[in-house]
Amino acid sequence: MSKPTLLIVEDDPGLLAQYRWSFPSCRVVLASDRRQAEAVARREHPAAALLDLGLPPDPEGVSEGFATLDALRRIIPGLPVVVASGRDERANMLRAISAGAYDFCEKPVDLDVLRTVVDRALRLRALEEENRQLAAAPRPSPISAIITADEGMLRVCRTVERLAGVSVPVLLLGESGTGKEALARALHELGPRAKRPFAALNCAAIPEALLESELFGHERGAFTGAVRQVTGKIEAANGGTLFLDEVGDLPMSLQAKLLRFLQDQVVERVGGRTQTRVDVRVVSATNQPLETLAENGGFRGDLLYRLNGVTVRIPPLRERGGDALLLARWFFARHSQEFDRRLRGFDAGAADAIAAHAWPGNVRELENRVRRAVLMTDGPQIGAADLELAAAPPSDQPLDLRTARAAAERAAILRALALSDGGVAAAARLLGISRPTLYGLLDEHGLTARPGTRGAGDAPANDAQAAEDNLSGELP
C-alpha cells in the first residue's frame, strides 16, 4: 500500500529539514507559507497536515496561521490538521481546536509525541475514508434499496427480480420494518411497468369510512363533503402497480369489492354508475398470518387466493446473520455525512450490542437508533449506551481462529473416541487419519488413552462422556 501524504507547513528551514525525515511511514510534502500550502493541498490531497501558526508575513503573530487552517479545511473538508505553536500559547491552541484543528503540540516539540499525534490523525482520516467508501460502495443485493449479505434475504431479492417481469399478484409476508415496501417498489421498477404509476395505500392507516373512497374514488355528491370527483388509488395506478400495505386490516365489507375488482379489473367509484376498466398489477403486504385469519373467518379465503399468486416471505432482521452490523455501518455512514458529524464509527461494545440485540422493530428500528446516536453522541465513537442498547454478554466462543480450530479438533477427537468406545484404531478410522497421527493429536491436546480400553468391535458409547472416562491428562 502507498504511504499516506503528510503536509507540513513551517517557515523555519531547520525544522522543515528535521520534519522531513521524522515521519518514515508518510510521504512528506512541505510548504513554508499559506500560498504554498494551498497549492500543495490542491495538488497532493494530503491525508493530514502539520501546521505552524506563526507564518509569514506575520511570523510573530497567528493571523496567517489561522488563515491557513481555514484555507486547508476549505480545500479538503475533514482534513485533520495538527497545530504546532510555542509555549504559553494555550489560548491560541484552544482557538485552533475550536476552528477545526484535530490536535496541537507545543514547541519545542517532542518528536515521539508528535509522531503519535500525527499517526492518530492519519488513522482518523483512514476511518473517515472507509466510511465514505462504505456509503458509496455497490451493495451486494441485486435490489438497490435492499442492503444485505444474508443468503436468505439475497434469495428473496433474486425472487423479486424474477417476478418483476411477470404481471402476477405477489403477497409479501414479513414483520413490520423488514422492507416490504422497498421490495414492492422493486417489483414495479424492475419490470415493464416501471414508467407507469406506483400507488401505495396503507389499509391500516385510513379510517374504514374513508378507505373505500380512497381505494375506488368517489363521484361528486356521493356523500356529505364530497364536493368534487376524486380518482381512487386503483385508477391512479392504471398501467402500473397498486401496493396494498397491511392488507390483513382491510375491512370485510371492502374485501368483497376488492375481490370483484381483482376478478374483472373493473372499478366503480363510490356514488357512481359507470364502470372503468383498468390494468393494474396488485402487490400486497402484511405482517399477519392470512391463512389463519381465513380459517377463522377474519379474512376471505377467495381473496387470499387472488392476492397470493406468489408468496414471498421476508426474514426478520434477527434471522439475517450479520446484516444488523452491515446495515448499522451503512446507516452510520449515510447519517454522519448528512448531519456533518465527524465520528469514527462504532466501538467494540456497540458492535457487540448491535449483533446481540433481537431488533423487534427490524430495519426501521435499527436506522432510528443509529440516526439518533449520530446526532446525540458526544464522544468520537458511538457506544452501546448511545444506541440505548444493553451491553452484549461476553461470548463463550473463541474469536481467535487458532483457538477455535483447536477447540473444534479436540471436540472431534472426543466424539470419535466416544463412538468407538475408546478404541484408538477405530477412532482414527472415523477421523480419517492414521493411528500415529491420532496419538500425536492426543499428546497435543493433553489427552492420553488409558490402558485396557475396549476395541472397535465393542458397542459404542452414547455420548462423549465415555471418551472422557477413558482419558487422563486433561488440558490444564
Side-chain angles (χ1 to χ4, degrees):
M1 294 179 63
S2 60
K3 294 181 179 180
T5 300
L6 172 64
L7 168 63
I8 298 178
V9 187
E10 172 62 62
D11 66 328
D12 185 331
L15 274 178
L16 275 179
Q18 185 180 19
Y19 287 155
R20 182 191 293 272
W21 310 111
S22 297
F23 301 94
S25 62
C26 301
R27 187 174 74 90
V28 177
V29 292
L30 306 174
S32 58
D33 56 34
R34 175 157 56 106
R35 182 184 58 80
Q36 290 183 9
E38 292 176 357
V40 173
R42 290 191 177 94
R43 184 176 67 249
E44 302 290 346
H45 294 282
L50 174 61
L51 171 67
D52 178 30
L53 289 180
L55 296 176
D58 184 22
E60 301 301 323
V62 295
S63 60
E64 195 67 12
F66 279 106
T68 305
L69 174 62
D70 291 340
L72 291 177
R73 289 181 56 78
R74 185 174 60 254
I75 295 169
I76 308 177
L79 176 71
V81 180
V82 178
V83 170
S85 188
R87 293 187 184 276
D88 302 324
E89 294 187 12
R90 296 188 64 85
N92 286 329
M93 292 185 178
L94 292 175
R95 177 185 165 193
I97 296 296
S98 299
Y102 169 73
D103 207 339
F104 64 84
C105 286
E106 293 182 343
K107 288 185 176 182
V109 297
D110 183 323
L111 285 178
D112 290 333
V113 173
L114 183 59
R115 273 192 290 264
T116 299
V117 173
V118 169
D119 285 344
R120 282 168 43 201
L122 290 169
R123 283 198 297 272
L124 170 67
R125 186 64 171 174
L127 283 171
E128 291 177 343
E129 183 61 28
E130 182 181 349
N131 287 333
R132 278 192 292 272
Q133 290 176 0
L134 180 63
R139 299 156 184 144
S141 163
I143 296 175
S144 60
I146 300 295
I147 302 161
T148 183
D150 176 68
E151 185 55 38
M153 193 63 185
L154 287 172
R155 281 196 299 270
V156 169
C157 293
R158 289 192 288 268
T159 299
V160 167
E161 270 193 311
R162 288 194 293 270
L163 293 174
V166 291
S167 189
V168 297
V170 176
L171 176 61
L172 303 173
L173 295 180
E175 297 178 5
S176 295
T178 51
K180 296 191 290 294
E181 183 165 353
L183 291 173
R185 288 187 178 276
L187 284 166
H188 174 74
E189 292 168 358
L190 297 176
R193 298 174 181 264
K195 295 182 179 179
R196 304 297 295 171
F198 176 89
L201 178 68
N202 189 323
C203 300
I206 300 173
E208 182 176 346
L210 300 177
L211 189 55
E212 182 179 10
S213 172
E214 190 72 20
L215 192 58
F216 295 95
H218 63 259
E219 297 288 353
R220 179 180 177 182
F223 50 83
T224 303
V227 296
R228 60 186 178 87
Q229 184 188 76
V230 172
T231 300
K233 292 288 186 181
I234 295 176
E235 282 189 80
N238 190 22
T241 302
L242 172 67
F243 175 50
L244 298 175
D245 198 8
E246 305 298 347
V247 72
D249 292 306
L250 195 67
M252 290 294 292
S253 59
L254 284 182
Q255 290 182 26
K257 193 167 183 179
L258 179 62
L259 177 63
R260 174 72 181 274
F261 157 69
L262 291 174
Q263 291 171 337
D264 301 335
Q265 290 283 294
V266 169
V267 295
E268 185 177 306
R269 299 189 187 105
V270 177
R273 295 291 182 268
T274 304
Q275 293 185 335
T276 304
R277 180 166 296 279
V278 294
D279 173 25
V280 172
R281 180 188 189 170
V282 176
V283 178
S284 51
T286 183
N287 60 3
Q288 301 184 49
L290 293 187
E291 294 90 346
T292 303
L293 288 177
E295 291 174 1
N296 298 332
F299 197 85
R300 292 182 63 111
D302 47 2
L303 176 58
L304 173 60
Y305 301 137
R306 284 284 181 178
L307 292 174
N308 69 344
V310 178
T311 299
V312 178
R313 300 181 186 274
I314 307 168
L317 184 56
R318 60 182 173 275
E319 296 178 6
R320 286 167 53 178
D323 271 8
L325 196 53
L326 174 69
L327 282 161
R329 286 175 173 152
W330 192 86
F331 288 136
F332 167 81
R334 188 175 75 178
H335 292 308
S336 58
Q337 184 175 9
E338 176 185 355
F339 301 126
D340 194 25
R341 296 299 310 275
R342 295 182 178 87
L343 302 173
R344 304 180 196 174
F346 302 100
D347 63 21
D352 291 341
I354 290 169
H357 188 59
W359 299 111
N362 292 292
V363 179
R364 188 177 296 118
E365 178 192 358
L366 174 61
E367 181 176 11
N368 288 341
R369 287 183 183 268
V370 172
R371 183 195 297 116
R372 183 168 59 246
V374 168
L375 279 170
M376 303 305 296
T377 186
D378 294 322
Q381 285 186 297
I382 293 176
D386 298 314
L387 294 164
E388 299 181 8
L389 294 177
S395 174
D396 295 331
Q397 298 297 323
L399 187 60
D400 175 67
L401 284 178
R402 186 186 300 275
T403 305
R405 190 181 296 117
E409 192 174 75
R410 187 176 189 275
I413 293 170
L414 289 174
R415 177 67 176 157
L417 287 167
L419 292 172
S420 62
D421 205 12
V424 175
R429 283 195 296 273
L430 288 172
L431 293 167
I433 57 177
S434 65
R435 276 189 299 171
T437 300
L438 179 54
Y439 279 120
L441 290 173
L442 290 171
D443 291 340
E444 181 181 334
H445 291 285
L447 305 171
T448 306
R450 289 178 177 173
T453 55
R454 287 177 292 182
D458 297 326
N462 290 329
D463 52 36
Q465 184 61 47
E468 292 280 10
D469 291 341
N470 285 323
L471 298 170
S472 61
E474 293 298 321
L475 285 172

